[in-house]
């Protein structure tokens, strides 16, 4: 009887009442939770990404306007100082050309000896004056120039000529005695001032900027000679070094032909200065090309460096007035300063933003992890609560089911068998009732089952007595 009915936990969880209660409870609790968690996490991630985007935009703006601006300002500072120093040195030579000892020495040399030599061939004069190569060796004017050269080491060479182009005196012996066949002498004699591109001076045995100033008589204003000077590249190199140390950067000065005039990174190595065979690394070459390709001050953002650049032609000052008055092409000084920041100071203004951006990213990730952990914890708690709830409902029902099967399969047949041997006035053996104390509808079902059980027992007993009485009537 009832041998095919599933007992206890034979039914799979999916098809059982416990499984149905558990799945519906989890569905009711988890689906809204997942929706809320998805919206919350999505909002947090969106806020984090929005904040990172805003910080990234701020970083780029700060990088352009502050960091790039600082590098550009450093390059402008280099060229302003170079322009000022060049104007000062040219002014110095112009002042010296007006010194009485200089123009009187020029006039005297021409009157005493120079005018008489003018008609002689240059080669013959070079041989005649090949040893001294000047008209007034050891003169007061020459001693004056030597003193100036010692006080002003930025001049690699200083000497002057008479009106015939013959060297009168200088701080050192020149390579030639006759100068009137030189382009610089002729230009200075005609225009009053000459300024040439950087070149290696044979007399000074050094690279420098050649310049020449006409010596005019203070009273008559007539030309009486020419003073030549070579401004040493040491002037540019010391300026670059000073600014590089102050700005903690690398400073280079280059010509339009990409020849180095100064390079603090190599400490102005002689083998690299004005050497067309010098090679640059990729980033340096990129920076030089950007600088040479622009006539205005600017900057270049590289992977780990910020480069500022400016052309000397863009620097305003008295230098250009001097050149304009003498009809000198300013392109002879078309130099470019390149300032390359090589340390963390260049990016110091970005440090605060980087910290905030890292903090926002870390906080966003932390919120996501905490949200996922909280979601898992709530799901686990929902599962435990739903399981306990399902068990609280299913366990009494299982107990009721087990009791019903026990009465139907074992107790009731046994009771019927016993009733057949019990006299009519004897009491029936007791059949245990179902005892459930759940204080809910399940307990009511158990009590109703007990009523049905009692009625079934009484009915079975009466049937058994009736059959027994009928049997006696026919015996």
């Amino acid at each position: 009887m009832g041998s095919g009915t599933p007992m206890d936990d034979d039914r799979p969880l999916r098809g059982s009442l416990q499984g149905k209660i558990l799945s519906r409870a989890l569905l009711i609790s988890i689906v809204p939770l997942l929706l809320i968690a998805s919206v919350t996490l999505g909002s947090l991630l969106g806020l984090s990404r929005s904040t990172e985007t805003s910080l990234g935009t701020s970083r780029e703006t700060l990088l352009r306007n502050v960091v790039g601006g600082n590098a550009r300002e450093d390059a402008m500072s280099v060229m302003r100082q170079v322009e000022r120093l060049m104007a000062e040195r040219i002014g110095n030579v112009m002042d010296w050309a007006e010194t009485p000892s200089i123009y009187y020495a020029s006039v005297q040399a021409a009157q005493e000896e120079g005018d008489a030599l003018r008609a002689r061939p240059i080669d013959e004069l070079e041989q005649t004056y090949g040893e001294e190569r000047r008209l007034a060796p050891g003169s007061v004017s020459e001693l004056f120039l030597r003193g100036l050269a010692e006080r002003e080491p930025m001049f690699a060479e200083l000497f002057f000529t008479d009106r015939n182009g013959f060297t009168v005196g200088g701080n050192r012996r020149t390579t030639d005695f006759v100068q009137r066949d030189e382009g610089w002498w002729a230009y200075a004699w005609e225009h009053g001032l000459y300024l040439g591109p950087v070149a290696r001076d044979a007399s000074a045995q050094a690279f420098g900027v050649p310049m020449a100033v006409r010596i005019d008589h203070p009273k008559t204003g007539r030309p009486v000679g020419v003073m030549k000077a070579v401004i040493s590249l040491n002037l540019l190199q010391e300026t670059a070094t000073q600014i590089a140390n102050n700005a903690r950067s690398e400073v280079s000065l280059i010509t339009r032909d990409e020849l180095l005039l100064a390079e603090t990174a190599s400490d102005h190595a002689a083998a690299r200065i004005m050497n067309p065979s010098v090679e640059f690394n990729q980033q340096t070459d990129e920076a030089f090309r950007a600088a040479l390709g622009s006539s205005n001050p600017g900057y270049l953002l590289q992977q780990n460096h910020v480069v500022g650049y400016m052309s000397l032609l863009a620097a305003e000052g008295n230098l250009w007035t001097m050149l304009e008055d003498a009809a000198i092409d300013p392109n002879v000084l078309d130099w470019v300063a390149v300032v390359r920041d090589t340390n963390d100071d260049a990016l110091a203004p970005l440090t605060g933003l980087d910290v905030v951006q890292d903090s926002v990213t870390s906080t966003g990730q932390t919120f996501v992890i905490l949200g996922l952990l909280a979601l898992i914890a709530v799901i686990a708690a929902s599962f435990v609560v739903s399981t306990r709830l399902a068990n609280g409902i299913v366990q009494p029902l299982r107990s009721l089911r087990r009791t019903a099967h026990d009465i139907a399969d074992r107790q009731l047949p046994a009771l019927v068998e016993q009733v057949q041997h019990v006299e009519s006035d004897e009491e029936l053996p007791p059949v245990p009732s179902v005892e459930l104390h759940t204080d809910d509808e399940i307990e009511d079902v158990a009590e109703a089952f007990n009523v049905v059980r009692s009625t079934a027992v009484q009915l079975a007993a009466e049937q058994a007595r009736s059959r027994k009485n009928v049997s006696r009537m026919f015996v």
Side-chain angles (χ1 to χ4, degrees):
M1 180 178 176
S3 59
T5 305
M7 293 294 293
D8 293 338
D9 298 329
D10 292 342
R11 188 184 299 274
L13 180 64
R14 183 176 180 182
S16 66
L17 179 61
Q18 181 183 16
K20 293 178 180 179
I21 295 174
L22 181 61
S23 62
R24 284 163 177 75
L26 290 175
L27 183 65
I28 293 172
S29 61
I30 291 177
V31 170
L33 183 62
L34 288 175
L35 291 176
I36 295 173
S38 299
V39 173
T40 303
L41 290 177
S43 300
L44 287 174
L45 290 175
L47 179 61
S48 177
R49 281 192 290 266
S50 176
T51 305
E52 289 182 12
T53 301
S54 299
L55 287 174
T57 302
S58 300
R59 188 181 192 278
E60 291 299 323
T61 302
L62 189 61
L63 190 63
R64 289 192 302 268
N65 297 341
V66 178
V67 178
N70 289 343
R72 179 179 56 200
E73 187 61 35
D74 289 340
M76 294 173 65
S77 176
V78 172
M79 278 319 190
R80 290 193 191 103
Q81 191 161 342
V82 169
E83 185 279 332
R84 179 178 59 81
L85 291 175
M86 289 295 296
E88 288 178 356
R89 295 301 174 268
I90 294 174
N92 289 342
V93 178
M94 296 175 71
D95 291 339
W96 297 336
E98 297 176 356
T99 304
S101 63
I102 296 297
Y103 63 74
Y104 282 136
S106 296
V107 172
Q108 183 179 4
Q111 292 175 346
E112 292 180 356
E113 193 172 0
D115 292 346
L117 299 174
R118 185 173 181 81
R120 293 174 62 179
I122 293 178
D123 292 342
E124 181 181 330
L125 292 173
E126 292 291 351
Q127 290 180 356
T128 302
Y129 291 89
E131 183 176 352
E132 293 294 343
R133 298 174 187 169
R134 55 195 187 276
L135 294 175
S139 62
V140 173
S141 59
E142 187 170 76
L143 294 176
F144 171 71
L145 291 181
R146 289 179 181 176
L148 290 177
E150 290 178 0
R151 291 196 304 270
E152 300 286 347
M154 295 307 172
F155 289 97
E157 185 177 46
L158 278 173
F159 69 91
F160 68 102
T161 73
D162 68 355
R163 60 185 173 224
N164 301 295
F166 300 142
T167 303
V168 177
N171 68 321
R172 60 164 53 90
R173 192 173 66 169
T174 60
T175 55
D176 297 320
F177 170 67
V178 181
Q179 308 294 340
R180 67 170 179 263
D181 59 339
E182 300 287 346
W184 60 264
W185 194 93
Y187 194 95
W189 183 262
E190 180 179 356
H191 297 281
L193 177 66
Y194 167 83
L195 191 68
V198 177
R200 184 173 181 82
D201 186 82
S203 299
Q205 293 294 304
F207 285 103
V209 180
M211 64 161 294
V213 176
R214 187 177 61 207
I215 305 172
D216 295 330
H217 196 282
K219 295 181 179 180
T220 63
R222 291 185 305 168
V224 297
V226 173
M227 176 177 283
K228 183 186 180 183
V230 176
I231 303 175
S232 173
L233 287 187
N234 289 340
L235 174 70
L236 307 180
Q237 293 168 359
E238 289 188 9
T239 301
T241 299
Q242 179 183 0
I243 294 179
N245 291 338
N246 292 338
R248 300 181 65 185
S249 306
E250 292 179 358
V251 177
S252 299
L253 293 176
I254 58 174
T255 67
R256 284 289 171 184
D257 299 325
E258 294 190 44
L259 298 177
L260 285 170
L261 303 176
E263 186 184 48
T264 60
S266 65
D267 198 20
H268 316 294
R272 296 178 62 83
I273 300 300
M274 294 297 293
N275 184 354
S277 301
V278 169
E279 295 183 356
F280 306 105
N281 60 45
Q282 182 177 356
Q283 284 195 334
T284 302
D285 186 65
E286 180 186 5
F288 284 177
R289 292 189 182 279
L292 294 173
S294 174
S295 59
N296 297 317
Y299 62 89
L300 175 67
L301 302 178
Q302 296 182 318
Q303 183 175 2
N304 297 315
H305 301 90
V306 181
V307 178
Y309 52 82
M310 179 181 179
S311 170
L312 181 58
L313 299 180
E316 299 179 354
N318 296 329
L319 177 62
W320 310 117
T321 303
M322 295 178 179
L323 300 186
E324 183 179 358
D325 293 342
I328 297 175
D329 184 2
N331 287 319
V332 298
L333 297 181
D334 191 8
W335 307 333
V336 176
V338 178
V339 178
R340 187 164 177 255
D341 291 323
T342 58
N343 50 56
D344 295 335
D345 289 346
L347 302 179
L350 303 180
T351 303
L353 275 182
D354 289 339
V355 171
V356 173
Q357 190 166 8
D358 292 342
S359 177
V360 168
T361 301
S362 176
T363 302
Q365 294 174 349
T366 302
F367 273 131
V368 170
I369 294 174
L370 291 177
L372 291 176
L373 292 177
L375 179 62
I376 293 173
V378 171
I379 291 175
S382 299
F383 180 80
V384 172
V385 171
S386 299
T387 301
R388 295 187 64 179
L389 175 64
N391 287 338
I393 296 174
V394 172
Q395 289 300 331
L397 292 177
R398 285 180 176 173
S399 177
L400 181 61
R401 184 187 64 179
R402 284 194 297 270
T403 303
H405 280 293
D406 184 62
I407 292 174
D409 296 339
R410 184 179 61 81
Q411 295 183 25
L412 193 57
L415 179 63
V416 173
E417 181 67 24
Q418 291 178 6
V419 167
Q420 294 177 359
H421 304 284
V422 175
E423 297 300 329
S424 58
D425 56 349
E426 292 183 8
E427 293 183 359
L428 296 175
V431 176
S433 61
V434 178
E435 298 293 337
L436 294 178
H437 303 285
T438 59
D439 296 327
D440 54 20
E441 288 81 355
I442 297 177
E443 184 175 347
D444 295 340
V445 172
E447 292 177 355
F449 178 79
N450 288 332
V451 172
V452 172
R453 174 196 59 77
S454 300
T455 302
V457 169
Q458 292 177 1
L459 182 60
E462 290 177 358
Q463 290 178 351
R465 290 192 181 98
S466 297
R467 286 195 298 271
K468 186 175 181 181
N469 291 333
V470 170
S471 297
R472 287 178 178 175
M473 290 175 59
F474 289 97
V475 172

